[in-house]
Amino acid sequence: MVTTSRLEEELAALAGSVPDPELPVLTLAELGVVRGVRMLAPGRAEVDLTPTYTGCPAIEAMSADIERVLHDHGIPEVTVRTVLAPAWSTDDITAEGRRKLSEFGIAPPRPHSAQGPVPVTLSVRCPHCGSTDTELLSRFSSTACKALRRCTSCREPFDHFKEL
Amino acid sequence: MTTTVDKAAALALGDDALVLAQRLGEWAGHAPVLEEEVALANIALDLLGQARVLLSLAGDEDELAFLREEREFRNLQLVEQANGDFAHTIARQLYFSVYQQLLYGELAAGDGPFAPLAAKAVKETAYHRDHAEQWTLRLGDGTDESRRRVQAGLAALWKFTGEMFRPVEGLDLDAEAMAALEARWLAAVTAVVEKAGLTLPEGPRTGAWTAGAGRQGLHTEPFGRMLAEMQHLHRSHPGASW
């Protein structure tokens, strides 16, 4: 049984409070990418971080930011490990994270139904006017994790954090 | 759970992803519309991420990508083929993304050393496959010109598709498993091609031109030029960094 010490909990909260480098409205904890923090020895911490997409270029900036925050908290030696399993899913984004995405003008991902694929009938709501009358322009957008949509009511284009 | 990674298998899968990422990256600045510019670059980025993980399992990713000679690469001949026009690139994407998604699905379901990466990548390749399928339908069901071009792309690349289903050294998928994968691939590609109003190319999918083939380090003419472009900066300025 692995137990988490009070220090580890404190460090996990600190690592989780780091803002996402590309979506700074979200913290890494809200994005669901910090998988755990362990003290290996006094003054030596190891952090498990998982990428959203395998090729996500933000992971290096995230690692550097986590190291800096933990150094500032008096941990001289910090290692950030990239872990792939279990694979990250958009379901790992917290409810607060979804709310912030929407407020920032990005439609949040729809939840997966159990293990199956996302039903295509579920509409994506426009983050600007709230209309559910929106259309897909491209499944790929400004970053790997987003799709480009347009609202047919207010005519504004917007990013949608696509389901993964 | 198998934990030892077979380097030959990591190279084969990693080189497929790396080489196709490089080819798709060549579209930057040339794609027909802005959305496609972004889409092809995003697909290339996913593949590059997969390549980095896979090549790191086999050794130093930079040395492997930038300092190997042509004969040391283990990618399929399909992925090294020149982009051609947009329809030709879509035909290549259709053949490869269906294959890659089925292969990663198999690896993700097992407990081998590639399962964690495959479980992650299979979700990314689902989008690549959807992109290729939607474009095949649009081009096939578009104008005479678009239909002619995508049909020509499918035909030109057909002979490189047999190689995908030869057993890969170091993967837990034997000849029987690969044959089953091939049957599923053929059914999926046939369904899209027919729905698009196109005809499945005729003719053999392997032959003397694939003797030994990419998995054994034998590559086609366009590959050398692609590698020269990919590697020249690193080779001209050893140790350079941003």
Side-chain angles (χ1 to χ4, degrees):
Chain A
M1 177 78 194
V2 180
T3 54
T4 311
S5 73
R6 178 173 264 181
L7 177 60
E8 285 169 332
E9 281 174 22
E10 201 178 311
L11 296 180
L14 275 171
S17 70
V18 169
D20 178 282
E22 288 190 23
L23 295 166
V25 287
L26 284 192
T27 65
L28 298 189
E30 285 158 353
L31 190 61
V33 293
V34 178
R35 287 276 166 83
V37 179
R38 279 177 307 280
M39 290 305 295
L40 300 175
R44 263 181 73 204
E46 187 175 67
V47 182
D48 285 350
L49 185 68
T50 195
T52 53
Y53 279 70
T54 320
C56 180
I59 193 108
E60 282 162 27
M62 290 179 187
S63 300
D65 289 348
I66 290 174
E67 283 174 25
R68 203 190 57 245
V69 166
L70 298 196
H71 285 323
D72 290 350
H73 198 66
I75 308 293
E77 209 178 316
V78 180
T79 320
V80 180
R81 283 200 321 162
T82 302
V83 292
L84 295 180
W88 181 85
S89 150
T90 39
D91 288 348
D92 297 338
I93 301 177
T94 64
E96 177 64 3
R98 285 161 198 272
R99 193 190 62 75
K100 286 184 178 175
L101 276 175
S102 189
E103 210 174 79
F104 192 59
I106 298 170
R110 292 160 291 186
H112 288 73
S113 52
Q115 284 296 305
V118 177
V120 285
T121 47
L122 257 184
S123 57
V124 177
R125 193 176 285 276
C126 170
H128 305 298
C129 74
S131 166
T132 52
D133 209 2
T134 65
E135 61 183 3
L136 181 69
L137 293 182
S138 173
R139 293 206 187 262
F140 299 91
S141 187
S142 55
T143 62
C145 52
K146 296 192 226 99
L148 186 63
R149 296 186 75 90
R150 178 170 48 203
C151 175
T152 41
S153 299
C154 72
R155 308 299 296 165
E156 283 291 322
F158 64 91
D159 268 335
H160 167 222
F161 207 119
K162 69 190 176 202
E163 295 76 23
L164 190 73
Chain B
M1 166 127 182
T2 326
T3 46
T4 46
V5 171
D6 188 287
K7 290 190 177 180
L11 275 187
L13 303 185
D15 286 347
D16 281 351
L18 174 67
V19 170
L20 188 57
Q22 176 72 18
R23 279 297 187 205
L24 292 174
E26 290 173 7
W27 273 107
H30 301 281
V33 288
L34 188 60
E35 285 80 4
E36 278 313 296
E37 186 97 10
V38 172
L40 294 171
N42 265 301
I43 294 170
L45 181 62
D46 285 346
L47 290 167
L48 191 63
Q50 295 162 18
R52 292 188 63 183
V53 172
L54 288 160
L55 294 184
S56 296
L57 294 173
D60 180 88
E61 53 175 330
D62 284 338
E63 278 181 26
L64 288 169
F66 297 125
L67 298 175
R68 273 182 300 162
E69 302 289 337
E70 183 179 339
R71 286 281 181 114
E72 295 170 276
F73 278 81
R74 292 291 177 266
N75 54 281
L76 297 164
Q77 292 182 347
L78 174 69
V79 294
E80 74 201 27
Q81 297 309 308
N83 285 336
D85 60 20
F86 181 70
H88 194 270
T89 288
I90 290 300
R92 193 183 57 201
Q93 283 303 107
L94 178 69
Y95 290 159
F96 184 75
S97 63
V98 172
Y99 158 77
Q100 201 189 29
Q101 214 215 348
L102 293 174
L103 180 67
Y104 280 156
E106 285 295 310
L107 295 175
D111 62 355
F114 298 109
L117 170 75
K120 184 150 191 65
V122 74
K123 301 201 285 179
E124 298 164 2
T125 55
Y127 282 103
H128 306 174
R129 178 176 171 175
D130 182 67
H131 174 262
E133 291 183 352
Q134 296 304 324
W135 268 111
T136 304
L137 296 178
R138 283 176 75 179
L139 295 171
D141 197 22
T143 62
D144 288 345
E145 181 70 5
S146 71
R147 184 163 51 249
R148 184 186 65 74
R149 287 182 183 236
V150 72
Q151 188 68 66
L154 290 169
L157 296 165
W158 186 243
K159 65 178 181 181
F160 296 110
T161 58
E163 191 195 353
M164 299 192 283
F165 304 101
R166 296 195 181 180
V168 178
E169 189 190 335
L171 279 193
D172 307 340
L173 298 168
D174 57 13
E176 200 184 331
M178 292 307 273
L181 209 66
E182 182 164 25
R184 288 165 64 202
W185 178 87
L186 200 56
V189 167
T190 305
V192 177
V193 165
E194 285 179 355
K195 194 173 170 195
L198 299 162
T199 3
L200 201 67
E202 288 174 5
R205 295 180 29 242
T206 53
W209 60 87
T210 54
R215 292 279 188 244
Q216 271 71 48
L218 293 176
H219 296 283
T220 55
E221 195 195 337
F223 188 49
R225 289 197 293 272
M226 193 213 89
L227 270 192
E229 187 173 328
M230 187 174 92
Q231 297 184 333
H232 89 270
L233 194 68
H234 188 92
R235 288 181 185 264
S236 308
H237 305 277
S241 61
W242 290 106

